[in-house]
Amino acid sequence: DAKTTQPPSMDCAEGRAANLPCNHSTISGNEYVYWYRQIHSQGPQYIIHGLKNNETNEMASLIITEDRKSSTLILPHATLRDTAVYYCIAGDWAGNMLTFGGGTRLMVKP
Amino acid sequence: DAGVIQSPRHEVTEMGQEVTLRCKPISGHDYLFWYRQTMMRGLELLIYFNNNVPIDDSGMPEDRFSAKMPNASFSTLKIQPSEPRDSAVYFCASRPGLAGGWQETQYFGPGTRLLVL
């Protein structure tokens, strides 16, 4: 599976959009980009995934560049409860063999 | 639905003892996963099952670790004998089958915090 690179930490003001970047320059053509988050002391939680098109659901939007070498997760109106570690993962279509890296620790501040 | 259930939530044991972690997946889910999370190594996939059959156990660290899934509603991860370096949070996750080619997500349990003294 392709390796992903994320900044170790980011801050965001409550109510503002949080934009979390992810580099996956070695992603293969059939690998998907998955985003999970882990709130302190809980198990990871699925957010969104995509292959090449931008995706949106009730939690977030995923913007994937045309060359698929990077993506951005957007939380449109961050709340304090969005404080968590966010993992960007390049995985197979089945989403079974997920390799979690270091993630980005997002701190949403009042 | 109650979600993925793991027990115990916390376990403290002494080196050399056998440890058994338990997981009840979400009803109807065909896949079950065991992960381990430590500060040093992050979140690692240990093994996963499909329809109670182990599919990939390449993440299992060594022979001291074993996992079983005797039926669709129960799985165990056993460490025998346990060592201090096994101290970690162990997560179980489950997901539905791959119907229609659409990916389903993994649903994680709350984890078991294991401390081996």
Side-chain angles (χ1 to χ4, degrees):
Chain A
D1 290 346
K3 181 179 176 180
T4 61
T5 304
Q6 300 176 253
S9 64
M10 290 181 63
D11 290 344
C12 178
E14 187 179 19
R16 304 297 294 269
N19 297 282
L20 291 90
C22 179
N23 285 322
H24 32 79
S25 58
T26 60
I27 195 169
S28 64
N30 60 353
E31 285 183 310
Y32 286 72
V33 179
Y34 295 86
W35 283 84
Y36 280 73
R37 74 179 182 183
Q38 187 173 23
I39 296 169
H40 181 61
S41 298
Q42 298 181 22
Q45 175 192 25
Y46 167 83
I47 301 173
I48 199 168
H49 73 277
L51 182 62
K52 30 179 139 170
N53 298 325
N54 298 337
E55 302 288 343
T56 295
N57 63 20
E58 64 279 3
M59 289 182 69
S61 295
L62 174 60
I63 309 297
I64 303 175
T65 58
E66 192 168 341
D67 62 9
R68 301 209 326 122
K69 292 185 177 181
S70 66
S71 60
T72 301
L73 178 75
I74 301 172
L75 308 178
H77 306 287
T79 70
L80 299 179
R81 287 178 294 181
D82 292 323
T83 292
V85 178
Y86 287 77
Y87 297 99
C88 168
I89 304 159
D92 66 3
W93 73 276
N96 286 332
M97 300 293 290
L98 300 179
T99 302
F100 288 78
T104 295
R105 186 173 298 276
L106 175 69
M107 180 74 71
V108 181
K109 299 183 175 179
Chain B
D1 198 318
V4 175
I5 299 172
Q6 291 187 246
S7 64
R9 294 292 308 276
H10 302 270
E11 176 84 22
V12 180
T13 190
E14 293 187 345
M15 182 173 64
Q17 297 297 307
E18 177 179 294
V19 175
T20 299
L21 311 181
R22 298 173 176 78
C23 176
K24 177 179 169 54
I26 294 172
S27 177
H29 282 192
D30 294 339
Y31 288 81
L32 183 138
F33 306 80
W34 282 101
Y35 289 85
R36 177 175 68 176
Q37 186 170 35
T38 61
M39 289 292 294
M40 291 295 293
R41 300 177 66 89
L43 191 61
E44 306 171 280
L45 175 65
L46 300 178
I47 184 172
Y48 80 93
F49 296 81
N50 178 214
N51 292 323
N52 312 337
V53 177
I55 303 300
D56 193 302
D57 64 355
S58 58
M60 294 286 266
E62 49 196 274
D63 292 345
R64 296 184 298 106
F65 286 70
S66 63
K68 293 183 180 179
M69 193 164 185
N71 57 61
S73 59
F74 183 66
S75 176
T76 59
L77 178 67
K78 187 174 292 187
I79 308 173
Q80 167 63 20
S82 59
E83 297 182 4
R85 60 192 169 121
D86 301 330
S87 297
V89 182
Y90 291 81
F91 289 103
C92 176
S94 70
R95 60 172 288 173
L98 303 174
W102 181 63
Q103 305 87 346
E104 261 286 4
T105 72
Q106 296 185 26
Y107 297 84
F108 283 75
T112 294
R113 280 158 180 76
L114 173 65
L115 177 61
V116 183
L117 301 174

